[in-house]
Amino acid sequence: QVHLSESGGGLVQTGGSLRLSCAASGNTHSVYGMGWFRQAPGKEREEVATISCSGQPSYGDAVKGRFTISRVNALYTIHLEMNNLQPEDTAVYYCAAETADGGYWHWGHWGQGTRVTVSS
């Protein structure tokens, strides 16, 4: 089993910045890519940013140019630097880990989520 520990959410004013962090523990040998997804009230889950095991990032259109995902010192730890935050970014942000457990690639592990609220 993989446990994902998220931190860094909070309340920030429009134009401000936050840094989210996520560390995987447990059966980390099954973890490949990692990423961030978000879900606002009444809306579907949205991909924010992902990063492969080799460090290749990918971003959702809504955050491209403002957010940066990176791998950090620990092998299974990622950060999300969120800059120029807007009210539309308000959501619960979930860390996810990609795994091939079961014989297919999927986002098989999820954190509990950290809330980001952007106010004016």
Side-chain angles (χ1 to χ4, degrees), residues 87-110:
E88 308 88 80
D89 297 315
T90 295
V92 176
Y93 285 70
Y94 296 92
C95 180
E98 185 183 38
T99 179
D101 289 350
Y104 61 100
W105 294 99
H106 63 287
W107 297 102
H109 306 289
W110 295 85

Side-chain angles (χ1 to χ4, degrees), residues 29-41:
H29 71 268
S30 69
V31 173
Y32 293 88
M34 295 181 68
W36 293 95
F37 297 75
R38 69 186 184 187
Q39 188 165 22

Side-chain angles (χ1 to χ4, degrees), residues 3-56:
H3 175 72
L4 300 176
S5 180
E6 302 144 316
S7 63
L11 175 65
V12 65
Q13 293 181 343
T14 298
S17 299
L18 285 174
R19 186 189 192 222
L20 306 184
S21 299
C22 175
S25 60
N27 192 23
T28 55
H29 71 268
S30 69
V31 173
Y32 293 88
M34 295 181 68
W36 293 95
F37 297 75
R38 69 186 184 187
Q39 188 165 22
K43 297 186 177 181
E44 295 182 351
R45 186 182 64 188
E46 174 188 19
E47 179 180 316
V48 177
T50 63
I51 189 164
S52 70
C53 57
S54 62
Q56 183 173 347

Side-chain angles (χ1 to χ4, degrees), residues 57-98:
S58 180
Y59 298 95
D61 290 340
V63 307
K64 196 172 299 182
R66 298 188 296 120
F67 293 7
T68 302
I69 189 170
S70 63
R71 304 185 74 91
V72 294
N73 294 337
L75 182 62
Y76 297 106
T77 299
I78 58 170
H79 289 333
L80 183 69
E81 295 283 353
M82 304 187 295
N83 299 313
N84 192 24
L85 284 161
Q86 302 297 310
E88 308 88 80
D89 297 315
T90 295
V92 176
Y93 285 70
Y94 296 92
C95 180
E98 185 183 38

